[in-house]
């Protein structure tokens, strides 16, 4: 890292391939295997399921292309935090970093690690059947949560051994899950006995939702209602909460810019290549869902695990469950590793600016921010025990998109305010690309504010709680 006191050297050890693997590995977690159930419940048609993923894909790639310009201008560690701080000032950078530490990065680590635990329980039923270690009313600590914490602490430890250790793990696990997903996509068309593709496509652009639940909270299969007009728009926004959350974390590669070879070129290349490849994979996986399962099969998959039900249709009940459980375990393990590796660099950069604990500042003898890694790992473990990360993450998609929008707007703002700055990479199809993102992002946020307020206010409150914290830290810094 530039200008950071350290006990060991920090060399550029990540090439373009490593950076692209980090992008893809951080994006592909557990979401793609689950969230299509909720999308189908909100919109009820194969056409709309595909459309939600296409909109999310266009949005994600447009943001990555726009971020490329900023990554070439500020090729330092800290990524999005650095961009926001340089363009809009320290407070905006801090609020992003605050949100990242309190819930965005750590909450994602917790949620994906728990998903690893839940799918491990498919292979080891004793994990599911074991009595809770602690229970008080509705709150309990289970062996699945303990396994999730074990994964977080193990991957944190491995990453303290140097970038090479984290990189090797990332490349192996990301490569494995990409090969496995491609295999699933091919076999999903070759082996399936009954195709539901025509049935799912027969609804055309008609939209339906089925969000009614019975007394115990299970969705009722007979509750499909035709929807139109603005109700469809609200349904799209609600459906996109899942697809957007499954498609974030690609910007994690910007957090480790300080360790990437030729960051002015390789960061943007890795973001555009990685996001494009993942969104194509996501689309093809949804084609498999539509080919192997009917509308009710997708919408009401047990525990929303659409991929497990689809896999059972392809491989048969026993083998299908095992195949999918192993794939999700590989996927989530690699995803946690990528997010652990990247996040700690932001908190280290914040510490350099006096905006985080000073202990996070130093690198260890392996050239990595060990204390920052452990702070992140411990807080993510606390969130695992809280059991609230799932709710937090539903609520935080709104805030993530809001910060993406502010950052993408930063590209336009800098072009207008400082046109003379050196831009080694210039956003492709500027200003169309950033404007596309801003329009889709604004529509998503406005529709959520109107129709699904439970997804918006809690995330905003968490970020705004950072304002008094920033003022307190800033006051102490000025006094010092």
């Amino acid at each position: 890292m530039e200008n950071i006191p350290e006990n060991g050297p920090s060399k550029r050890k990540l090439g373009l391939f490593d950076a692209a693997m980090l992008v893809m590995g951080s994006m592909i977690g557990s979401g793609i295997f689950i969230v299509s159930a909720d999308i189908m419940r909100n919109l009820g048609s194969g056409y709309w399921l595909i459309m939600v993923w296409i909109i999310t894909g266009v949005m994600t790639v447009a943001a990555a292309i726009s971020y490329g310009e900023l990554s070439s201008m500020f090729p330092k560690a800290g990524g999005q935090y650095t961009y926001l701080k340089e363009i809009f000032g320290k407070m905006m950078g801090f609020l992003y970093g605050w949100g990242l530490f309190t819930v965005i990065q750590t909450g994602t680590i917790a949620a994906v690690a728990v998903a690893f635990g839940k799918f491990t329980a498919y292979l080891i039923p004793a994990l599911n059947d074991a009595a809770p270690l602690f229970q008080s009313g509705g709150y309990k600590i289970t062996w699945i949560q303990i396994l999730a914490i074990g994964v977080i602490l193990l991957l944190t430890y491995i990453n303290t051994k140097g970038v090479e250790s984290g990189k090797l793990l990332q490349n192996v696990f990301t490569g494995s899950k990409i090969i496995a997903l491609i295999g699933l996509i091919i076999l999903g068309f070759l082996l399936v006995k009954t195709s539901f593709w025509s049935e799912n496509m027969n609804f055309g652009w008609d939209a339906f939702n089925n969000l009614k639940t019975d007394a115990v909270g299970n969705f009722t299969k007979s509750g499909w209602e035709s929807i139109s007009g603005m109700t469809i728009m609200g349904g799209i926004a609600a459906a996109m909460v899942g697809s957007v959350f499954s498609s974030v974390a690609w910007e994690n590669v910007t957090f480790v810019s300080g360790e990437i070879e030729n960051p002015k070129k390789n960061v943007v290349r890795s973001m555009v290549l990685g996001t494009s490849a993942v969104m194509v994979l996501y689309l093809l996986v949804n084609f498999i869902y539509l080919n192997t399962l009917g509308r009710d099969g997708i919408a009401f998959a047990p525990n929303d695990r659409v991929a497990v039900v689809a896999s059972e249709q392809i491989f048969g009940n026993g083998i299908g469950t095992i195949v999918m459980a192993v794939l999700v375990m590989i996927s989530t393990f690699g995803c946690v590793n990528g997010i652990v590796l990247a996040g700690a660099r932001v908190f280290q950069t914040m510490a350099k600016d006096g905006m985080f604990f000073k202990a996070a500042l130093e690198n260890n003898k392996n050239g990595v921010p060990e204390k920052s890694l452990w702070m992140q790992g411990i807080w993510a473990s606390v969130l695992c025990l809280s059991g609230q990360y799932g709710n937090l993450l539903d609520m935080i998609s709104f805030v993530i998109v809001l910060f993406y929008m502010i950052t993408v707007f930063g590209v336009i703002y800098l072009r207008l305010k400082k046109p003379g700055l050196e831009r080694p990479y210039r956003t492709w199809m500027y200003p169309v690309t950033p404007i596309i993102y801003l329009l889709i992002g604004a529509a998503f946020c406005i529709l959520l504010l109107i129709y699904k307020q439970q997804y918006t206010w809690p995330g905003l409150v968490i970020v705004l709680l950072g304002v008094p914290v920033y003022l307190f830290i800033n006051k102490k810094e000025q006094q010092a």
Side-chain angles (χ1 to χ4, degrees):
M1 309 287 163
E2 288 87 3
N3 305 319
I4 296 179
E6 53 191 338
N7 295 334
S10 179
K11 298 172 185 171
R12 297 189 187 277
K13 296 176 182 174
L14 301 173
L16 174 59
F17 176 78
D18 305 318
M21 286 289 107
L22 179 58
V23 171
M24 296 179 76
S26 299
M27 286 178 76
I28 307 171
S30 57
I32 184 58
F33 305 108
I34 296 167
V35 301
S36 292
D38 187 58
I39 296 172
M40 188 60 95
R41 285 195 296 271
N42 273 285
L43 294 166
S45 149
Y47 273 67
W48 282 111
L49 176 66
I50 291 169
M51 184 50 63
V52 164
W53 284 104
I54 288 174
I55 294 169
T56 307
V58 168
M59 200 178 166
T60 304
V61 177
I65 291 169
S66 303
Y67 271 51
E69 184 165 316
L70 299 176
S71 74
S72 73
M73 294 170 73
F74 308 110
K76 295 182 286 188
Q80 191 170 350
Y81 161 76
T82 302
Y83 310 157
L84 289 168
K85 184 194 74 175
E86 295 285 347
I87 301 167
F88 300 113
K90 273 177 113 172
M91 185 170 179
M92 183 63 78
F94 174 80
L95 289 179
Y96 172 72
W98 163 264
L100 203 71
F101 184 78
T102 52
V103 72
I104 297 172
Q105 199 79 356
T106 49
T108 305
I109 291 169
V112 179
V114 169
F116 174 89
K118 285 179 177 174
F119 279 90
T120 305
Y122 265 127
L123 301 182
I124 309 169
L127 274 174
N128 260 339
D129 303 336
L133 290 162
F134 173 81
Q135 185 157 12
S136 176
Y139 174 76
K140 58 186 176 183
I141 296 173
T142 66
W143 282 105
I144 288 173
Q145 286 164 290
I146 299 301
L147 176 60
I149 290 169
V151 166
I152 293 168
L153 298 181
L154 171 66
L155 289 172
T156 299
Y157 173 74
I158 290 169
N159 276 281
T160 64
K161 296 301 166 190
V163 176
E164 292 289 344
S165 305
K167 176 180 90 172
L168 177 64
L169 207 64
Q170 193 62 27
N171 292 350
V172 168
F173 276 86
T174 302
S176 301
K177 65 184 166 187
I178 290 167
I179 292 165
L181 276 173
I182 292 169
L184 179 72
I185 290 160
I186 294 167
L187 295 174
F189 281 107
L190 293 179
L191 297 185
V192 72
K193 296 172 186 68
T194 307
S195 173
F196 289 89
W197 182 268
S198 299
E199 180 188 313
N200 282 315
M201 292 298 151
N202 277 344
F203 298 112
W205 290 109
D206 294 335
F208 312 84
N209 74 25
N210 189 344
L211 302 171
K212 293 179 179 175
T213 54
D214 59 22
V216 287
N218 297 315
F219 288 100
T220 55
K221 294 188 181 184
S222 57
W224 289 106
E225 287 182 358
S226 179
I227 56 173
S228 59
M230 283 303 290
T231 314
I232 290 181
M233 300 302 286
I236 291 170
M240 280 179 65
V241 168
S243 63
V244 164
F245 189 72
S246 301
S247 310
V248 297
W250 50 266
E251 78 283 1
N252 274 235
V253 74
T254 69
F255 301 165
V256 292
S257 296
E259 287 156 85
I260 293 175
E261 295 164 5
N262 192 6
K264 290 184 179 182
K265 289 185 177 177
N266 282 341
V267 174
V268 61
R269 285 172 179 164
S270 66
M271 285 193 293
V272 176
L273 285 170
T275 54
S276 302
V278 169
M279 296 320 297
V280 168
L281 275 175
Y282 280 4
L283 205 54
L284 292 173
V285 168
N286 277 281
F287 287 170
I288 295 304
Y289 297 158
L290 292 168
N291 193 48
T292 54
L293 302 169
R295 177 170 71 171
D296 281 4
I298 296 170
F300 306 113
N303 296 315
D304 285 356
R305 288 169 190 157
V306 189
V308 172
V309 184
S311 189
E312 286 167 354
Q313 294 299 314
I314 298 165
F315 301 107
N317 275 356
I319 300 172
T321 307
I322 293 167
V323 166
M324 191 45 61
V326 171
L327 173 52
V328 179
M329 285 169 68
I330 291 168
S331 181
T332 48
F333 195 81
C335 181
V336 172
N337 182 66
I339 299 170
V340 165
L341 187 155
R345 273 67 180 177
V346 181
F347 311 130
Q348 183 188 46
T349 308
M350 289 176 71
K352 174 189 155 194
D353 296 333
M355 293 287 143
F356 199 70
F357 302 109
K358 282 184 182 176
L361 198 58
E362 292 183 355
N363 281 342
N364 65 9
K365 66 179 190 294
N366 300 314
V368 294
E370 182 171 351
K371 289 176 181 172
S372 181
L373 278 161
W374 283 116
M375 288 175 195
Q376 172 185 260
I378 289 164
W379 181 242
S381 300
V382 170
L383 289 179
C384 275
L385 290 177
S386 76
Q388 297 305 306
Y389 50 84
N391 298 334
L392 288 171
L393 292 179
D394 280 344
M395 300 159 186
I396 215 74
S397 288
F398 173 81
V399 171
I400 293 172
V401 171
L402 215 52
F403 277 121
Y404 279 167
M405 286 173 65
I406 294 166
T407 311
V408 169
F409 174 71
V411 176
I412 299 171
Y413 180 82
L414 278 184
R415 286 279 190 110
L416 296 173
K417 287 284 184 182
K418 298 181 179 177
L421 284 178
E422 185 195 353
R423 290 171 171 82
Y425 163 83
R426 297 174 79 85
T427 297
W428 183 63
M429 282 180 60
Y430 176 89
V432 175
T433 306
I435 287 171
I436 285 172
Y437 185 84
L438 292 172
L439 288 174
I440 299 174
F444 172 74
C445 289
I446 290 165
L447 287 165
L448 282 184
L449 278 167
I450 296 169
Y451 291 100
K452 299 284 177 182
Q453 292 183 4
Q454 73 270 29
Y455 289 135
T456 57
W457 297 115
L460 269 178
V461 168
I462 288 167
V463 172
L464 291 175
L465 283 173
V467 173
V469 178
Y470 171 80
L471 295 173
F472 175 72
I473 292 171
N474 210 40
K475 188 178 178 184
K476 281 186 75 175
E477 197 180 54
Q478 285 173 349
Q479 287 172 347

